[in-house]
Amino acid sequence: MQMPKVNPYVALAIGVASVSFSAILVKLATAPSGVIAFYRLLFTVLLMLPVFMVKYRHELKFIEKKDWLYSIAAGVFLAFHFILWFESLNYTSVASSTVLVTLQPLFAFAGAYLFFKERFSMKAILSGIIAIAGSLVISWGDLRISGMALWGDILSLIACALVTGYLLFGQNVRKRISSITYTFVVYAISAVALFFYVIFKGEALAPYPASDWIYFVLLAIFPTLLGHSLFNWSLKWLSTSTLSMGILLEPVGATILAYFILDEPILWTQVLGGTIILGGLMMFLKDEKKSKEHKEAQVSV
């Protein structure tokens, strides 16, 4: 395959840097979590709208009833993922919150076992236990700071479970419709769900400082569109495991940015627990890759 003009590894690095700013921008904004999440997705949908209307809107008529139901479920899960993750940042540090959200592969592993009856090796199970041990180290360190910091950790873990639900609902629909159409539909549904959430909570949609509106737009452009779009683009040249390993650097980047931009201290429990979690996830992803290659080899035989 001919390599593109832009090195895929450079694109992956830019994508990781872009998503690393997500927690920082949320921390800088003064609006409530639901409002931040609503405007992040609203501006994302508005930015995608011209391309979708010109090139992809005809695909809407091919979406079946079941796919609409799955997309609605995915959009609601994504909405509450953002609400709880953004809310967690009000109680715990960027370092703790982002590293706990990276436990998504383990939640996916649990979901695949419960709903799809997938079997996993002992090495994969061990890697999961190691990652969970790392999360306990972080939680123990945060509990020593305050009960509210631990509450923030719990919220980020629930947010991680919700984004896994979003992905599990979406993986089935993505087999039948394009990435752009699916993303646009789910983001639009999520924005609508967030709108009603904000209204139900009685939170104001305006006014907010000019800086907040800048953060809303930056959240739509960098972590949402630029970050995830570059991940999807680089998949043409890089393996899923390589991409997954790269994304694991997000909490590292976010922690460094929080240290310099937000003056957040880095605790030894966060370093130790984060290292254990990332090590466990790397082991899990490598085992998953070997298992996939083994299954493909058996099929080819």
Side-chain angles (χ1 to χ4, degrees):
M1 184 183 295
Q2 185 178 359
M3 290 297 287
K5 293 181 180 179
V6 178
N7 190 308
Y9 288 98
V10 173
L12 177 58
I14 295 171
V16 171
S18 296
V19 297
S20 297
F21 274 97
S22 182
I24 307 300
L25 293 169
V26 172
K27 277 266 195 180
L28 289 171
T30 61
S33 302
V35 174
I36 299 171
F38 168 66
Y39 280 119
R40 171 177 178 167
L41 286 173
L42 176 64
F43 286 132
T44 301
V45 170
L46 292 176
L47 289 168
M48 292 180 68
L49 186 60
V51 175
F52 175 76
M53 293 301 291
V54 171
K55 301 181 73 173
Y56 296 94
R57 64 177 179 177
H58 66 278
E59 293 185 7
L60 289 176
K61 61 186 177 184
F62 300 118
I63 303 179
E64 299 175 358
K65 182 180 178 181
K66 183 178 72 172
D67 292 337
W68 277 114
L69 292 174
Y70 282 4
S71 297
I72 290 170
V76 172
F77 270 71
L78 181 63
F80 282 93
H81 157 73
F82 280 135
I83 290 168
L84 293 184
W85 183 43
F86 292 178
E87 192 67 25
S88 77
L89 290 165
N90 292 325
Y91 300 103
T92 192
S93 66
V94 168
S96 295
S97 183
T98 53
V99 79
L100 291 171
V101 164
T102 61
L103 284 167
Q104 181 267 321
L106 294 187
F107 282 96
F109 152 57
Y113 176 78
L114 291 172
F115 299 111
F116 303 113
K117 306 302 179 185
E118 288 188 23
R119 298 292 179 182
F120 293 88
S121 68
M122 285 303 298
K123 189 175 180 180
I125 295 170
L126 176 62
S127 65
I129 293 172
I130 291 172
I132 291 169
S135 69
L136 292 176
V137 171
I138 291 175
S139 298
W140 174 72
D142 285 352
L143 179 60
R144 295 178 67 192
I145 298 172
S146 72
M148 297 312 293
L150 179 62
W151 174 241
D153 294 346
I154 293 169
L155 289 176
S156 63
L157 283 171
I158 298 172
C160 184
L162 288 169
V163 79
T164 305
Y166 153 71
L167 294 171
L168 289 173
F169 276 112
Q171 71 178 15
N172 190 273
V173 182
R174 276 287 291 111
K175 295 174 183 177
R176 291 178 292 279
I177 61 176
S178 69
S179 175
I180 294 292
T181 299
Y182 173 72
T183 302
F184 180 84
V185 167
V186 170
Y187 283 178
I189 291 169
S190 193
V192 171
L194 286 163
F195 173 78
F196 284 110
Y197 171 83
V198 169
I199 297 300
F200 177 78
K201 287 266 294 183
E203 295 170 346
L205 292 171
Y208 290 104
S211 57
D212 272 14
W213 295 100
I214 294 172
Y215 298 143
F216 299 156
V217 174
L218 291 177
L219 279 165
I221 293 173
F222 285 96
T224 313
L225 285 178
L226 185 60
H228 292 286
S229 295
L230 284 176
F231 292 154
N232 292 334
W233 177 84
S234 63
L235 268 177
K236 185 174 181 180
W237 291 276
L238 303 179
S239 67
T240 303
S241 58
T242 300
L243 183 67
S244 300
M245 293 293 184
I247 293 174
L248 289 182
L249 293 174
E250 178 190 346
V252 179
T255 301
I256 294 170
L257 289 170
Y259 178 79
F260 286 104
I261 297 174
L262 303 175
D263 293 323
E264 283 195 359
I266 302 174
L267 306 177
W268 71 267
T269 51
Q270 293 170 337
V271 175
L272 176 60
T275 302
I276 294 171
I277 287 175
L278 296 180
L281 290 177
M282 285 183 181
M283 186 190 302
F284 176 80
L285 292 169
K286 284 183 178 179
D287 183 75
E288 188 179 43
K289 181 185 177 184
K290 286 183 180 179
S291 176
K292 184 178 179 181
E293 289 174 348
H294 178 68
K295 288 177 182 177
E296 288 174 349
Q298 286 184 323
V299 171
S300 62
V301 171

